[in-house]
Amino acid sequence: MPPTPPDSGALRRSLLLVLLVVDAFLLATLELFYLPLRLDGVLLPRMGDVPVPVTVLVAAVTTPLLVTQTARLVHPRAAILPLVVWIATLVALGVFGPGGDRVLLPDWRALLLLAGGALPAALVLGGALGRRPVGTRGAGRGG
């Protein structure tokens, strides 16, 4: 009897999971490195040297989106992986950054980034884990 080929659905889900986790890593890296943006005339226009943590808004949108897509396309239990990778990347690069430099700012913007990305994603994760996967309607509930 010839060996059975791997399930193409499982392979597709695994590749999607890898892609979504890599996206979480890249987004956390970019959000962390662009967190110190200021209206100082270098990258943004000069308007009083005010901090503009625009990456907090990016994190508040993209991190829950990654969790939602992982729950929908891969499996609800796998939806925690993008969130864990995002937080681990923030902590690892922020504290032990490239070349040993501390990248995470010791001020309110760092807390805002962590809260802005992690809290909405955790809420979405809870909702995804609370739902039954598609195709299991009535399984184990007697009807």
Side-chain angles (χ1 to χ4, degrees):
M1 182 173 216
T4 59
D7 181 19
S8 64
L11 180 62
R12 185 179 73 74
R13 285 191 302 274
S14 298
L15 290 174
L16 281 170
L17 181 61
V18 168
L19 178 68
L20 291 164
V21 167
V22 168
D23 283 345
F25 172 79
L26 293 174
L27 281 166
T29 302
L30 289 173
E31 291 159 0
L32 182 63
F33 287 162
Y34 283 102
L35 185 62
L37 279 179
R38 303 178 79 80
L39 293 172
D40 59 359
V42 177
L43 216 56
L44 297 175
R46 177 173 279 291
M47 297 177 95
D49 203 28
V50 177
V52 181
V54 70
T55 60
V56 173
L57 296 175
V58 174
V61 171
T62 59
T63 310
L65 186 63
L66 288 171
V67 170
T68 301
Q69 293 305 311
T70 305
R72 190 172 69 82
L73 298 173
V74 180
H75 194 276
R77 282 190 236 151
I80 195 169
L81 288 175
L83 179 58
V84 168
V85 167
W86 186 84
I87 292 172
T89 302
L90 275 185
V91 172
L93 283 180
V95 177
F96 313 107
D101 295 333
R102 183 180 204 133
V103 180
L104 196 60
L105 302 171
D107 67 357
W108 59 273
R109 290 175 284 179
L111 290 175
L112 195 61
L113 178 62
L114 189 61
L119 292 178
L123 289 172
V124 168
L125 177 64
L129 291 175
R131 282 189 216 102
R132 279 188 251 167
V134 176
T136 61
R137 179 176 292 179
R141 301 234 183 214

